[in-house]
Structure formats: C-alpha cells, structure tokens
Amino acid sequence: MSETGGIKLDISGLDGFLKPGEIEAMSARVKAVAGDLENGTCPGAEFLGWLDLPERVTEAEFAAIEATAERAREDAACYVVIGIGGSYLGARAVLEAVGGPADGHPEIIFAGTGLCSATLDRVLTRVRGRDFRLCVISKSGTTLEPAVAFRLLRGELEKKYGRAGVADRITAVTDASRGALRGLAETEGFETFVIPDDVGGRFSVLTPVGLVPLACAGVDIRGLVAGARAMREACRTDDLLANPAHLYAAARHLLYEKGFTTEVMSTFHGDLQMLQEWWKQLFGESEGKNGQGIFPASTVFTTDLHSLGQYVQDGRRNLQETFLCVRGAVGDLTVPGDDADNLDGLNYLGGRSLDDINWKAYQGTKQAHLAGGVPCASFEVDVLTPEIVGGLLYLFEKAVAVSGLLLGVNPFDQPGVETYKKAMFRLLGKS
Ligand code: PA5
C-alpha cells in the first residue's frame, strides 16, 4: 500500500498473479523510460509539456482565467463548452468529480461531443431564452464535431444578442497561430486562450482547455493545479514502490505481458463516471498502437454488477481490474432504523451510512473478483477535493506515459484517429 497526497494505491490484490519480486525487478526498465521522459529523449518528445505543466501555470494565467469566469458569473445563466476528446473530457471529468458547479455559477452545458442531431438540438433548446456564453475549444481548430456545433450555437447567440453582441460572449481556446478557429477568433475579435504547442489534447486538462470551463463553474482551479503539482513531486522518485504512477504502470504492464489484456476501471461512485471516460481516452489513445495496448474499459458499481458483473466474475480471464474508490461522499445519508415490523428485512442496516454500505460492497466485490481470477489493484481516497482530483489526473498522465514507453509505442500521438476522418470526409465530399 502506498499513499500520496490522500491517494492510496493498494496492489496487494496482485500477489496471486505476479511472482514475488517481479514488480521490483521492473525498477531498472521503469527508471530508464522515466529518465527518457524527463530528459526528452523518448518518442513523441515534442509533446512533453504536460510533465511540468502544474509548475508552469503562472499567476497571470490564473488571473486571466478567473476574470473570464467572473464575467460569465455576472451575465450568463449557462456556459456552453464546445469541444470533443481531449478538448472536452478533462473539464467534464473534474466538474462531475467535485460535484458540479458551485452555487451562484452558471450551469455548464457540453456540446460538440458528437454529430447526433437530437443531442445538439437539446442543447439549442436548453439555451433558448436564457443568457449564455460560448467557450469553443479545439487545438487543431478544424475538428468537425465542435466546428459544426459552434456554427449552430453562434447562430443562436446572434439571434439573442444581435450581430454586434456575439464576439463579447465567445471565448476560444486554441493553438497560438494555426487552424481555422484561430483565424476566425482573430477576425471576429473573440477572447482567446492558447493551448501550448507541446501539450497534446488528452494531456491538456491543466491548460486553459480544462481550467477555463472549470473556473466558470466555480471550481477551485488553484487547488486542482496544486494537487497535480504535489503529485508531480511524488512521481519523480526512482524508488518504484514509493512512486504511485510508476508502480501502477509497472504492475499493469506485467499483467498485460501475462495475458491480462483488458483493464477495467471500476468505481462505486457515480460522480467518477466521467473521470473513467477521461482515463479511457488517455490510456486508449496513448497505448493502442502497432497491434498492442491494454484495452481500457470501465464499470460503475453496484449498477454494473447487475449487468457486466457476471462477465467480470466468470467470463474470459483476460481482465485486470483497477478500482477507483471514494470512502465518503454524503456521510450523513443513513438507512432509517426505526421500522418495528422489519418487513423489508433491512433493520440490520438501520442507522448505517450509505457510504459505509457502499464501501462494504466494494470490499466484497474485490474479494469476489480476486477469487474469480481477476487481478485487482485499488486507488482509494477518502473524499474528492480539487487537490485530490488534480493529483489523480497527474498520476494517470505520468502512468500512461511510462506504460506506453514500456510497451514500445509513442504515447503522445494518435495516428489511427485520422483513418475514420479521411473516410468520413471522402463520403461528405470535402475537397
Ligand atoms: O487527445 C487528442 O489529441 C484528441 O482526443 C483531441 O483532443 C480531439 O481529437 C479533439 O481535437 P481538437 O482539440 O484539435 O479539436
């Protein structure tokens, strides 16, 4: 069990699946790839800006983002964030993990996450008749899904505020110089924030990509970045057992080499569902290359124990499971204990908190899955604060970088994503 910044990593559930000393024997390999990362000598070295990002965010950047958030708080009932993939998932993951927008801040609505007309139509309906602002996020500035949503939502903004009132209500987060969105923002005079060149989309949550929407929702972005900064420090050591990112990467890699080729991230906390989605993108896009990579999947328990639980317990034995568990959320929500007839048979739970019952469900599920032949590791936290969430984000970013390099792939590109785009654009007649 290692503990860093309120995040405990327990790999005792791997004992029956790894030989004694096997993890420790990974030290030299992990040290070598971590050194390549720090020295910028690994594949994809032009995208290592995320490594020291938590230290690089300046007071001026925080202040500019907070000023944008203050304007939104003053004059918007809802704040529409348009983006997809790495330009979307991080902000939503953090926002849900910390329990949604703070009181007195705008509702955050996400758009541009697909091409489904019904979904986008619902967004258009939700903003009609309300004061709103748009934040469009795209590093390339050319991604189809957010571009289409932005065009439609700009039209809606114009209907409400007139042509002259549109530019003041739009923030664009994009590349410093490239892409259609940069050109549009400069021509129309939108407020802009820059995504650094050396930070790829799925590693960009601690840039304005994540920080602008989160600040607008009233999330403590300074706490988030501080948590990531502390984790950055903790994940510098070459002592494998004391470095949670390296330890997690080494353990899952060893399991992969033994045939556990799918990793299921399981949580018992519904507010972590989008963090699981962020994690899936981070790991899937970073590792799934050259016919290799652990397939990242996720379950939210206990709900999914009644759907996927059978497979995890008893299906094909290529699963490794990583629990991401929160001990306490709403501690005073307890089962009433005053039913004299006990017709529902629940008196044995009377007076116990739901968090406590949920934790026992986690422990019982882990025991069952271990007995069923699933190697299980756990990340456990007591509560979800911005600091702890920031720590988790950095831990997973560092882990996937090490893990991808152990696999021998470039963790920082995503060439496979282009293939569907080419086929789709050909069908759409794009020149
Ligand atoms: O991680 C990535 O690079 C991708 O998921 C991108 O974030 C995603 O494709 C969106 O790209 P863009 O920000 O250029 O619109």
Side-chain angles (χ1 to χ4, degrees):
M1 172 86 80
S2 80
E3 174 155 8
T4 312
I7 300 165
K8 293 176 204 134
L9 171 56
D10 178 5
I11 58 161
S12 60
L14 309 185
D15 286 351
F17 303 89
L18 302 177
K19 294 189 203 106
E22 216 173 352
I23 288 255
E24 290 81 348
M26 287 289 287
S27 284
R29 280 178 75 193
V30 172
K31 185 178 173 188
V33 299
D36 287 342
L37 266 178
E38 288 292 340
N39 300 330
T41 49
C42 60
E46 64 278 27
F47 290 113
L48 292 180
W50 59 273
L51 252 182
D52 61 357
L53 199 56
E55 296 144 29
R56 280 194 348 215
V57 188
T58 63
E59 178 53 38
E61 283 166 319
F62 277 127
I65 291 170
E66 284 161 356
T68 295
E70 185 52 27
R71 279 194 295 280
R73 204 178 62 77
E74 278 165 8
D75 68 10
C78 47
Y79 195 75
V80 185
V81 179
I82 304 167
I84 194 167
S87 290
Y88 150 66
L89 285 162
R92 185 151 176 205
V94 175
L95 183 61
E96 296 199 4
V98 300
D103 286 347
H105 289 266
E107 178 191 2
I108 306 293
I109 299 174
F110 292 95
T113 62
L115 292 165
C116 168
S117 60
T119 306
L120 190 52
D121 191 53
R122 272 194 285 274
V123 173
L124 294 167
T125 305
R126 271 167 83 185
V127 299
R128 268 179 209 132
R130 302 170 77 190
D131 280 310
F132 68 102
R133 283 179 169 269
L134 303 181
C135 177
V136 56
I137 307 175
S138 176
K139 181 161 187 199
S140 62
T142 56
T143 307
L144 183 67
E145 294 90 336
V148 167
F150 185 42
R151 191 182 266 214
L152 277 150
L153 280 153
R154 240 164 50 233
E156 206 59 42
L157 207 56
E158 193 170 327
K159 272 190 228 158
K160 183 162 174 67
Y161 300 100
R163 180 88 184 93
V166 168
D168 272 357
R169 288 189 163 262
I170 296 178
T171 299
V173 182
T174 190
D175 186 85
S177 56
R178 285 180 297 244
L181 180 57
R182 168 57 58 184
L184 180 61
E186 286 181 2
T187 306
E188 299 288 331
F190 307 153
E191 173 189 49
T192 60
F193 287 92
V194 170
I195 308 173
D197 270 350
D198 57 359
V199 181
R202 58 190 173 276
F203 290 85
S204 68
V205 56
L206 298 175
T207 72
V209 169
L211 299 183
V212 171
L214 289 168
C216 289
V219 174
D220 172 14
I221 57 170
R222 290 170 189 260
L224 186 78
V225 173
R229 198 181 311 125
M231 187 57 76
R232 154 98 173 129
E233 285 312 308
C235 293
R236 277 178 189 277
T237 177
D238 284 328
D239 177 352
L240 182 59
L241 298 182
N243 185 322
H246 293 189
L247 183 58
Y248 170 53
R252 66 195 292 285
H253 182 77
L254 280 172
L255 292 168
Y256 172 69
E257 287 184 334
K258 292 176 192 295
F260 296 102
T261 54
T262 293
E263 181 180 5
V264 184
M265 175 175 277
S266 298
T267 188
F268 285 72
H269 193 67
D271 290 349
L272 286 177
Q273 192 165 6
M274 289 309 298
L275 198 83
Q276 293 172 307
E277 296 302 318
W278 173 84
W279 171 88
K280 283 196 284 194
Q281 189 218 358
L282 182 68
F283 280 73
E285 271 192 357
S286 300
E287 289 192 324
K289 284 158 205 173
N290 309 335
Q292 297 192 76
I294 299 173
F295 184 78
S298 63
T299 55
V300 180
F301 293 153
T302 58
T303 303
D304 288 335
L305 287 173
H306 300 261
S307 63
L308 292 170
Q310 171 63 37
Y311 191 102
V312 178
Q313 188 66 43
D314 210 17
R316 191 171 172 213
R317 297 298 74 187
N318 65 339
L319 304 181
Q320 48 174 299
E321 188 168 26
T322 302
F323 288 95
L324 180 55
C325 288
V326 185
R327 188 172 274 277
V330 186
D332 59 354
L333 195 58
T334 56
V335 178
D338 54 359
D339 188 336
D341 296 330
N342 193 26
L343 290 178
D344 58 7
L346 284 184
N347 275 5
Y348 75 104
L349 294 177
R352 290 177 76 171
S353 81
L354 242 67
D355 284 342
D356 179 41
I357 296 167
N358 203 24
W359 194 257
K360 291 287 182 288
Y362 152 54
Q363 290 175 322
T365 304
K366 187 170 175 180
Q367 283 173 19
H369 290 177
L370 282 169
V374 180
C376 297
S378 299
F379 289 101
E380 297 175 359
V381 304
D382 286 340
V383 286
L384 284 169
T385 61
E387 287 79 2
I388 284 183
V389 176
L392 283 170
L393 297 175
Y394 193 86
L395 190 163
F396 287 130
E397 288 178 355
K398 184 79 190 288
V400 80
V402 169
S403 188
L405 293 175
L406 287 173
L407 268 181
V409 301
N410 174 353
F412 308 113
D413 65 2
Q414 55 285 327
V417 179
E418 295 311 309
T419 316
Y420 99 89
K421 289 187 190 169
K422 282 192 189 122
M424 175 181 71
F425 286 134
R426 200 168 45 243
L427 292 170
L428 287 170
K430 185 180 180 189
S431 57

